[in-house]
Amino acid sequence: MTPDDRAGLRSAPTRRAIALIIEQPGRPGAPEAAAGRPRWLTVRRPDDDPDLPGVWGLPAGSHAEGETDDALVRRIGRDKLGVETVDLGPLSDGCVDRDGYRLSMRLHAARVVSGDPHVPQPVPGVTQYSAWRWQASTALRDGAERGSLCCRLALDMASEPNPRA
């Protein structure tokens, strides 16, 4: 990357976003739980997604002007998964440069408090997922290799000796 390229990235707009780690509830004694490998709610981006077509990742959304983290966590649940979620707090954060902007993302733990996930939702103007499922964190490797920041952050966190989610 040339100095001019780096200067252009510094002046590129930053998009703030949150991705959610939602652990599958109520599976005590399941093999993955017994081995300390929880299953997370993962979503598949649509095939026509401009950044990561067809990639499995975590539910995520970009902040609206003045939107709090708690409000965004609730909106991701409602508008993208059809559920009510509660924010359990931040886990990690990171940035990646995309074509024309910088993505600054925080990974938050969240819990579904009402409803069962279903996709897509009838909400225009936001990325709607084509599928969802409960999966081990290892299912995010392909997304991380293809440039998904939420996948990379989640895998980094999962590889810590005492992960927080």
Side-chain angles (χ1 to χ4, degrees):
M1 183 175 284
T2 69
D4 288 339
D5 291 336
R6 283 190 288 280
L9 288 174
R10 282 193 296 270
S11 65
T14 297
R15 293 185 192 167
R16 293 180 39 238
I18 287 179
L20 305 181
I21 289 187
I22 301 172
E23 284 191 16
Q24 185 174 15
R27 290 183 44 98
E32 62 276 357
R37 294 185 315 266
R39 292 164 52 95
W40 294 339
L41 191 152
T42 62
V43 291
R44 186 178 184 276
R45 296 181 72 89
D47 289 331
D48 62 355
D49 185 83
D51 292 318
L52 299 163
V55 167
W56 282 92
L58 300 171
S62 296
H63 280 88
E65 182 80 27
E67 187 173 35
T68 65
D69 288 356
D70 184 61
L72 178 54
V73 169
R74 288 193 318 270
R75 183 166 58 85
I76 293 166
R78 182 182 61 248
D79 292 359
K80 295 188 167 203
L81 302 170
V83 299
E84 292 300 318
T85 51
V86 62
D87 186 4
L88 301 177
L91 300 168
S92 68
D93 58 71
C95 294
V96 67
D97 294 319
R98 298 257 190 250
D99 192 20
Y101 68 97
R102 171 168 272 226
L103 178 61
S104 175
M105 179 173 281
R106 263 193 247 158
L107 196 59
H108 277 237
R111 182 178 337 123
V112 173
V113 293
S114 177
D116 294 314
H118 56 281
V119 298
Q121 291 295 307
V123 179
V126 296
T127 300
Q128 291 296 331
Y129 306 118
S130 60
W132 77 273
R133 65 173 73 135
W134 298 108
Q135 298 189 85
S137 61
T138 54
L140 302 175
R141 285 184 185 144
D142 177 64
E145 290 169 2
R146 292 175 59 186
S148 169
L149 180 56
C150 72
C151 290
R152 189 190 82 211
L153 292 172
L155 288 172
D156 287 350
M157 190 202 68
S159 70
E160 292 177 2
N162 296 306
R164 294 163 278 180

